[in-house]
């Protein structure tokens, strides 16, 4: 079964072709980061317009790279939500039109299910059940994954998501948007013992997170150093990253203990963070990550999740719909 996957929930247009026998055939991505960077954040209207410009050329590109034709596609998967409504509508309308023209079924995929399953695209893929730490720009969740569509939420953030905290702190340090990866690179040069930031909720006894106080603590530190030189910026970045990573690792370990699962999947943009990977790899957990190119938003995870859904007998979409807000646990 050959599935075309389309991701357009935020600021990346991703398209991929996944074959249920041969695996991922090809994928293509256009990131809008440079376009939104000027404004310090994603501008929804610009995002939608850019998805419109990119989605068909990227689709042609993956077909050409895979030496397949449109007529060979057996089904189409698109990101149905959550995300920016206008951006989601671009992927949804292209998927619905292609499905109509080709007389092939179309399925709407939950963006977070795509992230959760993305490590299964790796050579070293985890088997079910596993624990998942989902750390993206919009989410910080600990999830028990029993199988496809069987997700139990164990912990969640009470305020900012991990990626959001990285981005806001990066902005304070003048690193542009989204600054998670740049902050992480700067932190490599930082002195770990110069500053210490709080580890919010580390001993709260539950599996929830809170990062808005950490960002405020970073702001206070920035304000108390008006001459913010390069080394001080690196030291603050280091203190911030050490704090957030320590909380994420501690809660992941707690969740593993509580749920009696040693297998941990880390997915979403922040799973690209090298300090987080270092710390988790030196823990006793059996940790799995997506390939680096599939940590942030991409079409491959949507094609893959769609393929699994089709194989499991999920019914195709009857109408053309997106869900800007969509809870995975009531999906
Ligand atoms: O999963 P994703 O592409 O989008 C959402 O679905 O939200 O995640 C994007 C987030 C951004 O906040 C970005 O700064 C963060 O992932 N990110 C990182 C790194 N690479 C991306 N955060 C920390 N360290 C990184 N290396
Ligand atoms: Zn995402």
């Amino acid at each position: 079964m050959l599935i075309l996957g389309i991701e357009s929930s935020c600021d990346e247009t991703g398209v991929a072709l996944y074959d249920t026998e041969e695996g991922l055939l090809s994928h293509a991505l256009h990131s809008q980061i440079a376009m939104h960077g000027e404004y310090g954040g994603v501008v929804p209207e610009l995002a939608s317009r850019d998805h419109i410009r990119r989605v068909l050329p990227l689709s042609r590109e993956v077909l050409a790279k895979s030496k397949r034709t449109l007529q060979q596609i057996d089904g189409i998967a698109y990101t149905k939500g959550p995300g920016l409504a206008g951006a989601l509508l671009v992927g949804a309308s292209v998927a619905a039109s292609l499905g109509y023209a080709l007389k092939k079924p179309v399925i709407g995929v939950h963006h977070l299910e795509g992230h959760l399953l993305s490590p299964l695209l790796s050579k070293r893929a985890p088997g079910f059940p596993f624990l998942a730490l989902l750390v993206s720009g919009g989410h910080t969740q600990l999830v028990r994954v029993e199988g496809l569509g069987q997700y139990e939420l164990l912990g969640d953030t009470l305020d900012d998501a991990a990626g959001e905290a990285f981005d806001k702190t990066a902005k304070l340090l003048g690193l542009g948007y989204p600054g998670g990866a740049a902050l992480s690179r700067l932190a490599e040069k930082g002195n770990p013992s110069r500053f210490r930031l709080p580890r919010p909720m580390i001993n709260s006894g539950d599996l929830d997170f809170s990062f808005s106080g950490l960002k405020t603590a970073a702001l206070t530190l920035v304000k108390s150093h008006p001459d913010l030189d390069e080394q001080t910026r690196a030291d603050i970045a280091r203190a911030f990253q050490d704090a957030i990573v320590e909380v994420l690792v501690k809660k992941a370990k707690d969740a593993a203990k509580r749920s009696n699962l040693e297998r941990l999947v880390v997915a979403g943009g922040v799973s690209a963070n090298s300090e987080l990977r270092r710390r988790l790899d030196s823990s006793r957990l059996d940790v799995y990550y997506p390939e680096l190119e599939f940590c942030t938003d991409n079409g491959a995870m949507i094609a893959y999740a769609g393929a699994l859904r089709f194989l499991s007998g999920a019914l195709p979409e009857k109408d053309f719909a997106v869900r800007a807000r969509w809870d995975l646990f009531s999906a």
Side-chain angles (χ1 to χ4, degrees), residues 111-132:
H111 181 79
L112 294 181
E113 177 167 77
H115 277 304
L116 272 184
L117 301 176
S118 61
L120 298 173
L121 282 164
S122 305
K123 275 205 194 82
R124 185 178 165 271
F128 295 120
F130 55 77
L131 183 70

Side-chain angles (χ1 to χ4, degrees), residues 32-107:
Q32 305 176 353
I33 283 177
M35 183 180 78
H36 297 296
E38 246 184 89
Y39 304 93
V42 177
V43 184
E45 179 62 23
L46 293 184
S48 313
R49 292 182 194 192
D50 202 57
H51 286 306
I52 292 173
R53 275 193 291 273
R54 308 288 174 179
V55 67
L56 290 179
L58 289 174
S59 304
R60 283 190 202 102
E61 184 183 329
V62 295
L63 285 165
K65 280 201 287 197
S66 318
K67 301 196 167 46
R68 298 291 200 278
T69 63
L70 261 185
Q71 285 65 31
Q72 288 175 294
I73 292 172
D74 298 304
I76 301 141
Y78 70 97
T79 305
K80 182 171 176 175
L84 302 169
L88 289 166
L89 278 167
V90 177
S93 52
V94 169
S97 320
L98 278 177
Y100 186 71
L102 300 170
K103 299 191 173 52
K104 297 294 176 189
V106 174
I107 199 161

Side-chain angles (χ1 to χ4, degrees), residues 7 9-10 12 82 111-112 115 136-139 268-269 295-298 301:
E7 154 65 32
S9 66
C10 188
E12 255 111 23
H111 181 79
L112 294 181
H115 277 304
S136 71
H139 292 83
C295 287
T296 45
D297 294 348
N298 63 86
M301 67 183 194

